[in-house]
């Protein structure tokens, strides 16, 4: 099981999140439902503290879903967009700080500073999920036995989260995503470019793909594509 659930015992729900799938927005909303102002804390660090240790107890979380009938949902993202978001953020925008960002947890000194998007996709494709850093793992990794009451797509986040809040009778509805990557008017082929080639140009996700790369990402993240019913265009 992916140890990334957030549990609210008062409202009786479990929400599963994934890195590079609106996780900051999900965490901000969740904290607001348990009485914490997300503008006053580091939303990532606070969830690693002892106050939230029960979120990482596999058997407790599973029991709440299966036996106590907690409402369970997952926030997901188009897999083709998600891996581009990773590349633009970790390799282009802050690449100067992440020359050896651990794509593969077995090799923390892997120098991916000059990886093109094509290089990244091919590396991720050949690497099993359990060796990949969490931003690059399948969104369904470890969750095959979880029955979701609802799937929330990041592409329709506000509308679908409002539906969740209606079901759970929650009035905290700040769904801002404060960590979105910018998109520019660049419209060339970007899959062979290295991070230093981009400058201030950050194209939309479709410019990072050719037909071969589309198929590789689809095959690598087949469980996400199937479980969340995604197409490249979504």
């Amino acid at each position: 099981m992916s140890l990334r659930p957030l549990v609210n015992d008062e409202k009786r729900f479990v929400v599963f999140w994934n890195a590079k799938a609106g996780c900051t927005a999900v965490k901000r909303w969740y904290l607001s439902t348990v009485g914490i102002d997300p503008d006053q804390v580091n939303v990532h660090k606070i969830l690693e503290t002892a106050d939230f240790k029960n979120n990482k107890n596999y058997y407790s979380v599973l029991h709440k879903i299966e036996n106590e009938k907690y409402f369970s949902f997952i926030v997901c993202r188009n897999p083709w967009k998600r891996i581009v978001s990773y590349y633009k953020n970790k390799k282009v925008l802050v690449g100067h700080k992440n020359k050896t960002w651990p794509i593969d947890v077995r090799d923390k000194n892997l120098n991916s500073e000059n990886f093109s998007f094509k290089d990244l996709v091919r590396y991720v494709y050949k690497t099993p999920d359990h060796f990949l850093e969490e931003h690059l793992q399948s969104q369904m990794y470890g969750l095959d036995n979880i029955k979701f009451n609802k799937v929330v797509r990041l592409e329709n986040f506000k509308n679908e989260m409002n539906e969740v809040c209606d079901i759970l009778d929650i009035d905290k509805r700040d769904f801002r995503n404060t960590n979105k990557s910018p998109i520019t008017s660049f419209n060339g082929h970007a899959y062979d470019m290295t991070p230093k080639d981009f400058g201030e140009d950050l194209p939309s996700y479709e410019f990072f793909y050719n037909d071969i790369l589309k198929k590789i990402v689809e095959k690598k993240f087949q469980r996400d594509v199937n479980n969340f019913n995604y197409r490249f265009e979504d």
Side-chain angles (χ1 to χ4, degrees):
M1 176 180 175
S2 173
L3 297 180
R4 292 178 290 210
L6 301 172
V7 180
N8 183 315
D9 288 314
E10 178 185 357
K11 292 296 184 177
R12 298 175 61 84
F13 73 78
V14 180
V15 54
F16 293 86
W17 59 274
N18 283 281
K20 301 311 297 179
C23 67
T24 300
V26 175
K27 291 175 181 178
R28 285 176 55 84
W29 171 79
Y30 166 76
L31 288 171
S32 73
T33 73
V34 295
I36 296 174
D37 183 350
D39 291 325
Q40 301 301 314
V41 296
N42 182 309
V43 298
H44 302 290
K45 289 183 178 179
I46 193 172
L47 291 171
E48 296 299 321
T49 63
D51 290 341
F52 295 95
K53 64 182 179 182
N54 288 336
N55 286 341
K56 295 188 177 183
N57 185 316
Y58 169 85
Y59 296 104
S60 173
V61 171
L62 201 61
H63 186 272
K64 288 175 180 180
I65 294 172
E66 293 184 349
N67 299 100
E68 299 183 46
K69 306 305 179 185
Y70 276 41
F71 185 86
S72 64
F73 67 101
I74 187 169
V75 179
C76 61
R77 186 178 192 178
N78 179 322
W80 291 276
K81 290 181 179 178
R82 180 173 175 251
I83 193 171
V84 168
S85 178
Y86 167 87
Y87 184 78
K88 290 200 294 186
N89 179 249
K90 301 302 181 190
K91 291 301 158 196
V92 179
L93 288 175
V94 292
H96 59 288
K97 297 192 297 184
N98 294 312
K99 293 181 180 180
T100 56
W101 182 271
I103 293 172
D104 186 332
V105 297
R106 297 169 297 181
D107 186 0
K108 294 185 178 181
N109 293 314
L110 172 68
N111 191 336
S112 55
E113 179 182 8
N114 294 316
F115 267 25
S116 67
F117 179 71
K118 180 168 67 177
D119 294 331
L120 174 69
V121 167
R122 288 178 171 173
Y123 194 98
V124 168
Y125 176 73
K126 70 180 183 180
T127 306
D129 264 348
H130 57 279
F131 291 133
L132 286 171
E133 195 271 338
E134 68 171 357
H135 291 76
L136 296 166
Q137 290 174 337
S138 165
Q139 296 168 85
M140 278 297 297
Y141 175 58
L143 297 178
D144 293 300
N145 294 323
I146 302 295
K147 304 298 182 184
F148 302 116
N149 295 113
K150 185 172 180 59
V151 171
V152 172
R153 287 183 171 199
L154 186 63
E155 294 77 18
N156 193 29
F157 186 65
K158 183 177 180 180
N159 289 336
E160 295 187 18
M161 284 299 296
N162 271 315
E163 293 175 7
V164 169
C165 289
D166 287 342
I167 292 169
L168 297 172
D169 191 26
I170 290 174
D171 59 3
K172 300 294 185 180
R173 304 196 180 195
D174 180 356
F175 306 131
R176 285 175 293 163
N177 187 351
T178 60
N179 196 30
K180 294 177 70 174
S181 297
I183 296 175
T184 67
S185 59
F186 177 96
N187 61 359
H189 294 299
Y191 46 80
D192 277 324
M193 296 171 63
T194 62
K196 66 178 182 295
D197 296 328
F198 285 91
E200 296 182 357
D201 286 320
L202 287 171
S204 180
Y205 79 101
E206 62 266 25
F207 296 109
F208 284 86
Y209 287 95
N210 57 24
D211 289 340
I212 293 174
L213 292 174
K214 287 181 188 178
K215 289 294 184 183
I216 293 174
V217 169
E218 180 178 9
K219 189 171 181 180
K220 173 63 181 178
F221 298 111
Q222 193 70 58
R223 286 187 299 169
D224 296 347
V225 172
N226 291 343
N227 280 280
F228 307 137
N229 197 28
Y230 271 113
R231 302 169 302 165
F232 178 78
E233 297 81 12
D234 293 332

